[in-house]
Every structure is written in C-alpha cells, then in structure tokens.
C-alpha cells in the first residue's frame, strides 16, 4: 500500500506545531499501524531527520501506552482495539491518513504525537486505590462476592487508562476513566469502605486538572478500546450524589 | 449566583442541570395542554378561562417563580458548562469523526441558545403584555376574562411568526431528544432494561411536545 501520512509535528511543549505530510510506500496490509510508523521513522533516521515521537509499550493492547488520533478517531477506525492492535488493512491504498495527538488541556503535548497523561496518575492518587495494611494474601473465598457483581467490576477494571475517552469527547471530559475506577471499587466489598471519600476526591481532582464537563454524548463508550460502558458514569453520578447527601462531618 | 456555580463540581452541575431540565419538561406539558384549548371553540372561552386560572391562582403564581428560577438555573449552568468545555480543549482537532452516540448532544448549546431567544420574544409577546399591557377583555356567561385567545389567534395569522415559532420548536424538540434521556443518566439511572425504554420514551415525548405545539399555529394559520 502507498499512503500519505499527515502527521502533527511539534518539537516540544512550548513550540508551535504543524502538520507535515510524509509519503510511505510499499506498506503491507498486514503490518500494524505502529509498525508502519516504525518503517517511516527508519526512513527518517536514514535521511538524518527527526523521527516521529509516539507512545507505545506492550504493543498487544494491554498497557494503555499507545494513543494517536487517527482520521478523527482515537485508536483509529476499528472498534474495541488500541492503535497497536490495528492493522493497515483498515485503510485504502492511496489514502491520506491524518494522525494527531490527544487534544485536551490536561494532556499537553510533549513532542509530536506524545502527550503527557500524568493527569490520570494524579486522579488515581486522589483516591483510585484501597488502603489496606499489607500482609499475607487473603484466601480467595474469604470475602464472598456475587459472580454478577464481580463481572461488572471486572468490566470496569478493563480500563487501561489510555485516555481515548478524553480524546474522543467533544468536552475533553475524563468521566469514563474516572467512572471506571470509581465504579470498579464501589462494587466490591473491599472498595466500599472508602467509597464516599473516593468519589468526591477523584471527581474534585478531575475538575481541578481542567477536564471538561460530561454532557452524555457517549462518544467515550463508542471509542473506548476496552468498550467500557457509560453505565459506569451513571453509577459514579449516583455514588457522588449519595456521598454528598449522606456525607457526615467527623 | 453564577460565581459560586462555576466552582460547583462537574457532577453537581450535571445533576442540577438534569433536575431543572426535567422540571422544565413537566412545565412544557402543562403549557401544551393549555395551548391546545385554543383550538376547541371559536370564542376561546375554554382557553381564556384556563389562562385566567393560570394568572390568578395563587399556587400557580408561586410555582411560576420556581419555574423562573428553574429556567435561570438551567441557562446559567448550561453556559458555564459549555465555556468550561471549550476551555478544556484549547487546540481543536484537524479531523474529527462524529463518535457521539446521542446525535443532538453536540448541539445543546446551539439549540438551547435559539430556544432562549425564542423565550425572550415569547415572554415579551404574552407575559409582559398580560401583566402590564392592556389586553381586551371578553365576557362570557361564566365571567369576564382577558381575551388571550384572540392574541394567540392574531399572532398565528402572521406567516413570518408562524415560521419562526415552528423553527424554534423543532430546535426545542432536538434539545429534548438528547436532554430527557440524558437527565436520567446524569441522575445515575442507567439500567440494561430500563435505559432503552427511557431513551424511547424521551424521544417520543420530544416528538409529542414538538408536534403538539407546532400543530396549533398550523391549524390556526391554515384552517381558522
Ligand atoms: S502499546 Fe500497550 S496498549 Fe498499545
């Protein structure tokens, strides 16, 4: 396949960026999208040019490192997968592919297609954990959890924190990410203990970092590589409401 | 008021938005059921009677203030949310695929803004005139009332106004199509069985309200 890549190039956070067109030729339809970018970068290195910076790590859809806004969609045109799992057969020969970084105020560009997603880490630090004293591993069946509940919590836990929800949302809202974490913990007995403070702290952090307000467009669910359901957002809304209405002063 | 609202948490904002929105929908239904009366008799007796009740009944007069407050809350919060959302993405995408699953969710600020303009004109046309202007009165066996029916009739004989009215109500319908189901999600109600039903009812209600309001000027303009 011969393609034209219209790639966002930006030397650093403080510099102005611009789109640059790169032709790539002879790409196998079976190549993955990141392999295609590797090929481009190799050519650029050979020509003594600066290779395109992009995030990646596991390349098997589990770490959440890869990103890329491809032809207007986070993780490209295929549903329910990450950029690293996507293959070139989803594109047409001769096509121009527009590749942009995630765009959101709390995700500043580091270089080219790489953005700083530590805002997500800050949200997790605000409450996305369970405080327990470490010790021996508890017996698997010591805490009974109904299968149905465990399944829902597991669905939420599938979130890899890639930020596609923020990228896809017209409001750059992080609700799906935060909701996945809040809802996952709130459903399990271990997480229930701190559920009230957790939802308040994580939502406060999310707002403080400058993510937008959710307006229920559901673009996040449509573009999430792990297909996390917006029902978790509803769950977080009610968790939040309850925590506010029933909050007790110490 | 708006200063403290900016500091509201994003979820607090959406919950208030939802509650105010649903309250406004209930108002629309009451409003529509009264409007329909104007078509019932050529002397507008029923409609004028109902109108008289609405402007004189103390309970309604109290609720009117709640309604006014609901509108203000919904509008101010809507604007705050939109501005914050624009600020959350300072650099736009070059190419954006429409991923939204609730189509009209993209245009809430636009449909809302036009409905707001409509509301101001509407307010000037009816409310202010009724309260402070001089509306002709009409006497029936049941009593003497302001002849609001005649006011409505005159307005809806004006083609330009009818077109404007219809456009505004269509946009209101689009606003409601997203708004009604969205309110339930905001309030934390999302259910595998009920949510599709809520979405369907929300859409049907939006269509019902829109067609109901639009039918009145059409009938008056073409058939009366
Ligand atoms: S590189 Fe790990 S998910 Fe894509």
């Amino acid at each position: 396949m011969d393609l034209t890549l219209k790639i966002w190039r930006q030397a650093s956070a403080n510099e102005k960026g611009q789109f640059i067109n790169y032709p790539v030729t002879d790409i196998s339809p079976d190549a993955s999208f990141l392999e295609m970018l590797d090929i481009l970068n190799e050519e650029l290195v050979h020509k003594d040019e600066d290779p395109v910076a992009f995030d990646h790590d596991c390349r098997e859809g589990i770490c959440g490192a890869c990103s890329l806004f491809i032809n207007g969609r986070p993780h490209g045109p295929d549903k329910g997968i990450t950029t690293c799992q996507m293959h070139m057969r989803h594109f047409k020969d001769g096509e121009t592919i527009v590749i942009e970084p995630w765009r959101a105020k709390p995700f500043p560009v580091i270089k080219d297609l790489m953005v700083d997603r530590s805002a997500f880490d800050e949200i997790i630090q605000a409450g996305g954990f369970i405080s327990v004293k470490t010790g021996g591993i508890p017996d698997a069946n010591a805490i009974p959890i109904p299968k149905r509940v465990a399944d829902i919590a597991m669905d939420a836990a599938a979130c890899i924190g890639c930020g596609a929800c923020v990228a896809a949302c017209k409001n750059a809202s992080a609700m799906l990410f935060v909701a996945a974490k809040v809802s996952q913990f709130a459903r399990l007995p271990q997480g229930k203990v701190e559920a009230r403070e957790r939802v308040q702290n994580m939502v406060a952090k999310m707002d403080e970092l400058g993510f937008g307000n959710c307006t229920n467009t559901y673009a996040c669910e449509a573009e999430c590589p792990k297909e996390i359901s917006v029902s978790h957002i509803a769950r977080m809304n009610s968790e939040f409401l309850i925590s506010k209405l029933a909050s007790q002063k110490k | 008021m708006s200063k403290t609202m900016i500091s509201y948490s994003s979820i607090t904002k959406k919950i208030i938005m939802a509650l105010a929105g649903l309250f406004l929908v209930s108002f629309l239904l009451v409003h529509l059921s009264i409007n329909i009366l104007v078509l019932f008799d050529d002397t507008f007796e029923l409609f004028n009677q109902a109108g008289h009740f609405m402007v004189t009944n103390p309970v309604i007069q109290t609720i009117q203030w709640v309604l006014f407050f609901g509108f203000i809350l919904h509008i101010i919060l809507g604007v705050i949310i939109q501005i914050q959302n624009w600020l959350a993405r300072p650099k736009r995408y070059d190419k954006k695929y429409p991923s939204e699953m609730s189509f009209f969710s993209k245009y809430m600020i636009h449909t809302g803004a036009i409905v707001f303009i409509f509301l101001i004109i509407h307010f000037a046309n009816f409310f202010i005139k009724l309260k402070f202007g001089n509306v002709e009165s009409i006497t029936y066996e049941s009593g003497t009332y302001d002849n609001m029916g005649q006011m409505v009739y005159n307005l809806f004989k004006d083609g330009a106004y009818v077109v404007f009215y219809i456009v505004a109500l269509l946009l209101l319908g689009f606003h409601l199509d997203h708004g009604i189901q969205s309110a339930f999600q905001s309030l934390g109600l999302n259910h595998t069985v009920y949510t599709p039903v809520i979405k369907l009812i929300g859409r049907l209600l939006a269509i019902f309200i829109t067609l109901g309001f639009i039918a009145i000027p059409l009938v008056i303009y073409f058939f009366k």
Side-chain angles (χ1 to χ4, degrees):
Chain A
M1 301 169 80
D2 296 342
L3 301 156
T4 306
L5 306 176
K6 183 179 172 189
I7 300 181
W8 180 260
R9 300 300 312 258
Q10 185 173 343
S12 73
N14 304 322
E15 255 150 291
K16 266 191 86 141
Q18 57 171 337
F19 282 101
I20 296 184
N21 285 342
Y22 296 96
V24 285
T25 49
D26 230 4
I27 300 289
S28 157
D30 296 328
S32 83
F33 198 84
L34 296 188
E35 280 166 344
M36 185 272 298
L37 286 180
D38 290 339
I39 294 171
L40 168 71
N41 273 348
E42 223 163 285
E43 285 172 16
L44 290 178
V45 170
H46 277 303
K47 285 194 276 186
D48 251 357
E49 281 177 40
D50 194 22
V52 179
F54 60 91
D55 271 311
H56 60 103
D57 189 8
C58 70
R59 296 209 176 192
E60 54 185 7
I62 53 170
C63 73
C66 60
S67 52
L68 304 186
F69 207 75
I70 303 161
N71 278 348
R73 306 176 73 172
H75 296 295
D78 208 8
K79 236 186 112 57
I81 58 165
T82 53
T83 295
C84 60
Q85 293 171 288
M86 192 192 26
H87 290 91
M88 295 311 295
R89 51 178 166 270
H90 295 293
F91 300 92
K92 286 190 292 289
D93 190 27
E95 195 178 335
T96 298
I97 305 176
V98 184
I99 312 174
E100 300 173 74
W102 283 178
R103 298 249 184 239
K105 189 161 155 273
F107 285 168
V109 172
I110 299 172
K111 186 172 195 261
D112 300 337
L113 302 171
M114 248 180 181
V115 297
D116 183 356
R117 281 171 282 183
S118 26
F120 270 12
D121 298 333
E122 284 184 54
I123 294 175
I124 294 291
Q125 282 158 9
F129 50 81
I130 291 168
S131 322
V132 280
K133 295 233 163 38
T134 48
I137 303 164
D139 185 64
N141 292 322
I143 306 170
I145 301 170
K147 171 86 168 82
R148 197 178 56 83
V149 173
D151 283 349
I152 296 172
M154 190 60 211
D155 284 346
C159 168
I160 52 176
C162 64
C165 44
V166 176
C169 176
K170 78 172 182 66
N171 312 318
S173 164
M175 283 286 271
L176 191 64
F177 167 74
V178 182
K181 307 302 171 193
V182 164
S183 165
Q184 175 203 337
F185 287 123
R187 301 213 182 230
L188 300 174
Q190 297 94 325
K192 278 216 172 85
V193 184
E194 294 165 297
R196 285 188 185 170
E197 303 86 60
R198 177 181 303 111
V199 64
Q200 293 200 18
N201 293 341
M202 289 182 82
V203 169
K205 189 44 113 183
M206 166 183 89
D207 291 342
E208 178 201 315
L209 289 165
F211 289 102
N213 301 286
C214 169
T215 59
N216 303 333
T217 72
Y218 313 134
C220 50
E221 179 183 310
E223 297 297 348
C224 173
K226 298 297 158 187
E227 304 186 305
I228 309 258
S229 157
V230 292
S231 63
H232 294 294
I233 296 183
R235 177 69 178 209
M236 174 158 80
N237 293 339
S238 58
E239 284 283 330
F240 184 85
L241 188 60
I242 291 164
S243 81
K244 278 283 179 198
L245 294 180
S247 80
Q248 288 163 352
K249 294 260 172 324
K250 268 189 224 140
Chain B
M1 186 162 72
S2 58
K3 219 181 198 160
T4 41
M5 280 186 186
I6 294 175
S7 64
Y8 283 172
S9 136
S10 56
I11 300 185
T12 306
K13 284 192 293 252
K14 77 189 296 191
I15 288 172
I16 299 178
M17 212 49 195
L19 291 174
L22 288 179
F23 176 66
L24 296 179
V25 171
S26 71
F27 153 74
L28 282 175
L29 289 171
V30 174
H31 195 327
L32 175 59
S33 55
I34 291 177
N35 281 16
I36 289 288
L37 299 178
V38 84
L39 298 178
F40 274 45
D41 56 320
D42 287 338
T43 61
F44 311 121
E45 183 171 358
L46 262 177
F47 181 74
N48 286 339
Q49 242 173 346
H52 180 76
F53 174 78
M54 293 305 278
V55 291
T56 50
N57 185 289
V59 177
I60 304 283
Q61 286 302 296
T62 316
I63 294 179
Q64 187 180 291
W65 286 106
V66 182
L67 179 69
F68 182 70
F69 186 66
F71 266 115
I72 296 289
L73 211 57
H74 195 76
I75 292 165
I76 293 182
L77 273 178
V79 171
I80 291 176
I81 287 173
Q82 186 58 63
I83 291 175
Q84 288 177 336
N85 289 353
W86 278 327
L87 293 176
R89 176 162 294 135
K91 175 104 185 87
R92 319 246 109 207
Y93 289 109
D94 181 56
K95 188 169 178 182
K96 178 83 176 75
Y97 176 89
S99 311
E100 291 79 14
M101 291 200 282
S102 176
F103 182 75
F104 290 114
S105 65
K106 265 186 5 196
Y107 306 109
M108 292 309 268
I109 192 71
H110 314 98
T111 50
I114 293 176
V115 171
F116 177 62
I117 294 171
F118 170 76
L119 208 66
I120 294 176
I121 294 174
H122 189 62
F123 208 69
N125 274 341
F126 288 93
F127 195 82
I128 306 251
K129 256 190 212 155
L130 272 180
K131 284 259 152 158
F132 309 108
N134 38 352
V135 180
E136 275 176 44
S137 49
I138 182 165
T139 309
Y140 307 100
E141 269 172 34
S142 57
T144 302
Y145 310 114
D146 285 340
N147 198 350
M148 292 184 240
Q150 192 61 45
M151 268 169 68
V152 174
Y153 181 85
N154 294 346
L155 262 175
F156 285 162
K157 273 294 178 194
D158 174 355
Y161 185 79
V162 169
V163 170
F164 170 64
Y165 188 91
I166 291 175
V167 169
L169 274 136
L170 280 176
L171 292 172
L172 174 68
F174 298 153
H175 198 79
L176 294 178
D177 178 64
H178 170 71
I180 296 173
Q181 56 88 11
S182 174
F184 287 87
Q185 165 83 1
S186 291
L187 293 171
L189 303 166
N190 187 308
H191 188 279
T192 36
V193 180
Y194 302 143
T195 296
V197 179
I198 289 174
K199 284 189 180 168
L200 180 70
I201 293 178
R203 175 155 295 172
L204 292 178
L205 201 56
I207 293 173
F208 173 76
I209 290 175
T210 311
L211 291 186
F213 275 107
I214 287 180
I216 297 162
L218 286 181
V219 170
I220 290 183
Y221 189 78
F222 289 109
F223 302 109
K224 292 244 172 184

